[in-house]
């Protein structure tokens, strides 16, 4: 009977050891996954900033959405700053385009090209 209890104890230890190994493996997997997510988040944030610099509004918006999904509350401030920067740059670009169109329209009006001037103003 003493041997049975020793065998049972050894089995129990073996199971605990096996469970500990499983837990270690799961922890390592979780660490690896967290690292990959962190890298993806950093890539999304830097990608959004670069896309804004290149005036690629669609890519910037996609990268911002991806950063929101990946980081949630932890990156809210960074995401808000990127969204503000995106809106500021888009507004600046639109104002520039309108100004350029108005200059073209003025030149057309000086040359009495009224029909073309109307088209340019309508597009602005």
């Amino acid at each position: 009977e003493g041997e049975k209890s020793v065998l049972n104890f050894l089995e129990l230890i073996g199971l605990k050891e096996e469970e500990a190994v499983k837990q270690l493996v799961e922890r390592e997997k979780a660490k690896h996954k967290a690292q990959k997510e962190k890298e993806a988040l950093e890539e999304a944030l830097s990608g959004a900033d670069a896309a804004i610099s290149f005036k690629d509004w669609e890519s910037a918006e996609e990268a911002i959405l991806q950063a929101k999904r990946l980081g949630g509350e932890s990156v809210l401030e960074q995401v808000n700053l990127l969204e503000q920067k995106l809106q500021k740059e888009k507004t600046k670009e639109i104002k520039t385009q309108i100004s350029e169109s108005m200059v073209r329209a003025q030149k057309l009006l000086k040359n009495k090209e009224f029909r073309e001037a109307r088209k340019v103003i309508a597009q602005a």
Side-chain angles (χ1 to χ4, degrees):
E1 200 166 297
E3 280 183 32
K4 282 186 180 180
S5 62
V6 170
L7 286 173
N8 287 340
F9 180 70
L10 289 174
E11 271 184 38
L12 185 61
I13 291 174
L15 288 175
K16 286 184 178 181
E17 207 175 292
E18 193 175 304
E19 186 60 34
V21 169
K22 283 182 183 177
Q23 286 180 2
L24 283 172
V25 168
E26 290 302 316
R27 280 190 207 141
E28 285 303 312
K29 284 181 181 178
K31 282 183 190 176
H32 184 69
K33 183 180 179 188
Q35 182 63 31
K36 288 288 185 188
E37 288 174 352
K38 182 182 177 188
E39 290 171 3
L41 174 60
E42 290 171 359
E43 189 176 312
L45 290 169
S46 66
D49 195 40
I52 292 169
S53 297
F54 289 112
K55 298 181 182 182
D56 184 353
W57 313 135
E58 190 175 316
S59 294
E61 289 168 354
E62 288 173 14
I64 288 171
L65 285 175
Q66 183 179 9
K68 280 182 183 178
R69 280 193 306 271
L70 292 170
E73 293 292 320
S74 66
V75 293
L76 197 55
E77 188 175 331
Q78 284 177 291
V79 168
N80 286 339
L81 290 172
L82 282 170
E83 286 176 329
Q84 289 172 5
K85 182 177 178 180
L86 174 62
Q87 290 307 315
K88 181 180 174 185
E89 291 299 318
K90 283 172 91 173
T91 301
K92 194 164 103 178
E93 179 71 15
I94 290 169
K95 286 179 179 179
T96 300
Q97 289 175 355
I98 290 172
S99 293
E100 289 171 355
S101 293
M102 289 302 118
V103 168
R104 268 197 322 272
Q106 285 177 340
K107 287 180 182 177
L108 290 168
L109 288 171
K110 282 182 182 178
N111 294 334
K112 298 187 181 191
E113 296 179 39
F114 302 112
R115 187 174 281 165
E116 282 299 313
R118 269 192 229 133
K119 286 180 187 177
V120 170
I121 292 170
Q123 286 176 349

